[in-house]
Amino acid sequence: MSRKLILLFGDIGLMVLAAIIAANLILDKDLLKVNINLYSGMVPIMLILMGILFNVNGLFSLERKRYAEILLSLAVSFLNLMIIMMAISFFVREFSYSRGVLLLSVFLQFIMIALWKYIFWRIECSLHSTVSKALLIGNNEECERVFTRLRMQPQMNLEIKYICTDRQRCNWKNVIDEIDLVVVCSDLKLKEKSDIVHTCNMKQKQVLLIPDIYELFCSGAELQKIDDIPVFKPQPLVPSLEQRSLKRMLDILISWSVGVLASPFFLITAIAIKIFDPGPIFYSQVRTGRNEKKFKVYKFRTMRVDAEKFSGPMMSTENDPRITKLGRFMRATRLDELPQLWNVIVGDMSIVGPRPERPFFVEQFKKEIPEYIYRHNVKPGITGLAQVYGKYNTTPYDKLIYDLMYIQKCNMLNDLVIIIQTVRVLATKSATEGVGSNQKNVNLDIYKISDIGTFKRGIYK
């Protein structure tokens, strides 16, 4: 707590210092004296916005993160800050706030706080340099998947020391004293999870639970009673009429505003498609919407005209040969999604919600995951929780968990947070990787994992 307070006060001090320096460099002394109340009055607004944006982008918790991730979040925060401050100075006409002062302030704030965050990040890394030893429990497929993902996050300083895939034969409690953390996969039975959590609490070991649909329902349950018997009442995954109405108002406001501001990009993208890959500019495709109603989603075309002529419906894969060179750029920058603003305006989609899927794949997912039907309780969205926290190649089940978590807490505030976080995702390459990327099966034996009793033991870095 003390380190977070130091980090916060450092951020505030540097924000104020940069604003003072910018005002003194741009304005002459007489003009600054006349408008001192204006510029000093805008500083608290800037600090409040900084606190909100830094909190949304996770800039008050630097441990277990890459500095590149911190720098990207910082750049996105200041970009949003600059846009909001310009909007305030534009719409509130009595404010003659200098754009030059604002631009220089934001530039200096970014440089100074980036250096401050780097220093603090190095301190946090040194304080959290101890490697945590972990036990991974689940079936073989789940353990391989989780192991692969953990291996891609070296900044977490996590060492998988034991992997238990056969809970009937092995007694994991024999090694509980040798580890610091237990990662529990979603395939375990409720009784097994309860036993693991109880044992870890008694031994003061940390537990990470990968949730399943049942646990998701319980997380939003309301406590009631039958006489003196406590009962949980799971909340239906359906937003109220009031929530849907507020979301619709936000959708109309944002879609029209972004549509007007992005109109030059519409024109440039359309011309580029015609030059580099002659054919239709737009691409429409039937998708499944709210209450499983079918509608046509519109995008800028990123694939060849005959992309699925012989293959039939199939998901995009890593290095997909059907995607044009210009299409790869548009997908990386998400320019191909801009026409979906029209889907939002006409009411088929929302700005925030589960991504709309094709009916062919919806039917497949419903057979594999019966709970998949719940994601159609809301309108599909251009962005969503699964797009912010997941990746393009995140498994359908994990995406469903994110989607249902969003539906459970569907409101305007969460929508605004997700919209802000989406800006950071646009600059993340892994967010646009196709299905199949980083999804290869892992042979745990190549990581020097050898059998010790009924356990597999090893280390990865």
Side-chain angles (χ1 to χ4, degrees):
M1 180 63 71
S2 61
R3 293 200 304 275
K4 287 190 176 183
L5 286 175
I6 293 171
L7 182 62
L8 173 62
F9 289 137
D11 291 341
I12 293 173
L14 291 174
M15 289 283 290
V16 175
L17 178 61
I20 294 172
I21 293 173
N24 281 276
L25 288 176
I26 298 293
L27 306 174
D28 59 58
K29 292 183 178 180
D30 294 333
L31 185 60
L32 185 57
K33 285 182 180 179
V34 173
N35 294 283
I36 188 66
N37 291 331
L38 165 63
Y39 287 95
S40 60
M42 289 293 277
V43 170
I45 298 174
M46 187 177 289
L47 292 177
I48 292 171
L49 290 172
M50 177 214 73
I52 295 172
L53 292 170
F54 279 19
N55 186 55
V56 167
N57 287 293
L59 287 169
F60 292 128
S61 298
L62 307 183
E63 69 275 10
R64 312 297 187 189
K65 293 182 180 178
R66 298 184 179 94
Y67 182 67
E69 179 185 351
I70 296 171
L71 197 63
L72 177 60
S73 298
L74 198 62
V76 169
S77 297
F78 277 112
L79 176 63
N80 289 324
L81 176 65
M82 183 178 66
I83 293 172
I84 296 171
M85 291 294 292
M86 280 188 171
I88 293 173
S89 64
F90 177 79
F91 287 110
V92 184
R93 293 294 182 179
E94 58 267 26
F95 281 7
S96 56
Y97 197 80
S98 169
R99 301 292 193 279
V101 172
L102 176 60
L103 291 173
L104 184 58
S105 294
V106 172
F107 176 75
L108 291 176
Q109 287 164 350
F110 174 73
I111 297 298
M112 295 166 71
I113 292 183
L115 293 173
W116 166 242
K117 296 283 187 186
Y118 178 77
I119 294 170
F120 217 87
W121 174 72
R122 296 293 298 182
I123 294 173
E124 289 287 350
C125 287
S126 64
L127 292 173
H128 294 87
S129 59
T130 304
V131 176
S132 298
K133 295 178 174 60
L135 163 65
L136 181 58
I137 304 179
N139 63 36
N140 194 66
E141 182 181 355
E142 279 291 292
C143 286
E144 286 186 354
R145 185 175 70 90
V146 175
F147 182 89
T148 301
R149 292 301 188 183
L150 287 174
R151 187 166 50 89
M152 296 166 59
Q153 305 295 326
Q155 76 279 1
M156 294 183 67
N157 288 332
L158 192 61
E159 171 192 319
I160 300 297
K161 187 172 183 180
Y162 294 108
I163 297 179
C164 176
T165 58
D166 187 352
R167 279 96 63 190
Q168 301 298 323
R169 296 175 55 194
C170 68
N171 186 1
W172 55 269
K173 295 180 182 179
N174 290 339
V175 296
I176 193 69
D177 293 326
E178 300 180 36
I179 52 97
D180 308 298
L181 171 73
V182 178
V183 181
V184 183
C185 295
S186 60
D187 64 288
L188 269 70
K189 295 179 180 178
L190 183 61
K191 184 177 180 180
E192 292 178 306
K193 291 182 180 180
S194 176
D195 185 32
I196 293 170
V197 171
H198 172 69
T199 302
C200 289
N201 284 332
M202 295 297 293
K203 293 286 187 176
Q204 296 184 340
K205 306 295 182 180
Q206 186 178 355
V207 185
L208 295 180
L209 291 170
I210 299 175
D212 60 13
I213 304 293
Y214 168 77
E215 288 161 341
L216 182 65
F217 272 103
C218 290
S219 66
E222 177 186 349
L223 179 62
Q224 295 188 354
K225 67 186 183 70
I226 299 175
D227 193 14
D228 60 345
I229 302 173
V231 295
F232 273 148
K233 179 184 177 182
Q235 298 300 307
L237 293 177
V238 181
S240 66
L241 177 61
E242 294 84 356
Q243 290 172 328
R244 296 200 307 271
S245 299
L246 290 172
K247 267 182 66 66
R248 183 59 184 157
M249 292 170 58
L250 183 67
D251 287 341
I252 293 173
L253 175 64
I254 292 178
S255 57
W256 276 109
S257 301
V258 174
V260 171
L261 293 173
S263 55
F265 294 101
F266 274 91
L267 180 60
I268 294 171
T269 304
I271 294 173
I273 292 173
K274 278 295 184 183
I275 293 174
F276 291 99
D277 186 47
I281 295 173
F282 297 103
Y283 173 70
S284 65
Q285 193 177 69
V286 176
R287 298 291 176 100
T288 303
R290 182 168 176 257
N291 297 326
E292 299 195 35
K293 178 184 175 182
K294 307 295 187 299
F295 72 98
K296 280 190 176 182
V297 68
Y298 296 96
K299 291 185 178 185
F300 283 121
R301 184 172 57 84
T302 58
M303 289 190 176
R304 301 194 315 266
V305 177
D306 59 346
E308 295 184 343
K309 183 177 180 180
F310 302 106
S311 64
M314 59 181 294
M315 289 187 172
S316 177
T317 58
E318 185 182 14
N319 300 319
D320 197 321
R322 301 172 299 165
I323 303 175
T324 64
K325 291 182 179 180
L326 177 62
R328 294 189 189 283
F329 171 76
M330 288 193 293
R331 288 194 173 203
T333 56
R334 302 297 175 92
L335 285 173
D336 63 316
E337 309 281 358
L338 285 177
Q340 290 176 38
L341 291 172
W342 174 252
N343 289 111
V344 176
I345 292 171
V346 299
D348 290 329
M349 292 178 61
S350 175
I351 295 293
V352 180
R355 286 295 294 155
E357 194 52 82
R358 300 166 70 174
F360 176 83
F361 295 115
V362 169
E363 294 305 317
Q364 286 186 338
F365 292 144
K366 283 165 61 176
K367 292 177 182 177
E368 298 171 6
I369 313 170
E371 296 86 357
Y372 197 82
I373 58 173
Y374 295 125
R375 76 191 302 271
H376 298 120
N377 288 348
V378 297
K379 291 180 182 179
I382 296 177
T383 185
L385 198 65
Q387 283 64 52
V388 169
Y389 289 103
K391 301 177 182 179
Y392 191 88
N393 58 27
T394 299
T395 65
Y397 185 85
D398 287 341
K399 283 184 179 180
L400 177 62
I401 293 291
Y402 284 125
D403 290 335
L404 298 186
M405 287 175 65
Y406 166 73
I407 297 172
Q408 195 175 61
K409 300 178 180 179
C410 178
N411 56 56
M412 283 184 64
L413 180 59
N414 283 339
D415 280 12
L416 289 171
V417 170
I418 291 172
I419 290 169
I420 293 172
Q421 291 177 327
T422 300
V423 180
R424 184 183 73 248
V425 175
L426 295 179
T428 306
K429 183 175 183 281
S430 61
T432 59
E433 291 172 347
V435 175
S437 177
N438 299 319
Q439 296 293 326
K440 298 177 182 178
N441 292 331
V442 178
N443 180 4
L444 300 181
D445 292 334
I446 68 174
Y447 297 96
K448 299 180 181 179
I449 296 176
S450 56
D451 291 335
I452 298 181
T454 54
F455 284 90
K456 294 179 178 178
R457 183 176 184 176
I459 296 175
Y460 80 91
K461 294 182 179 180

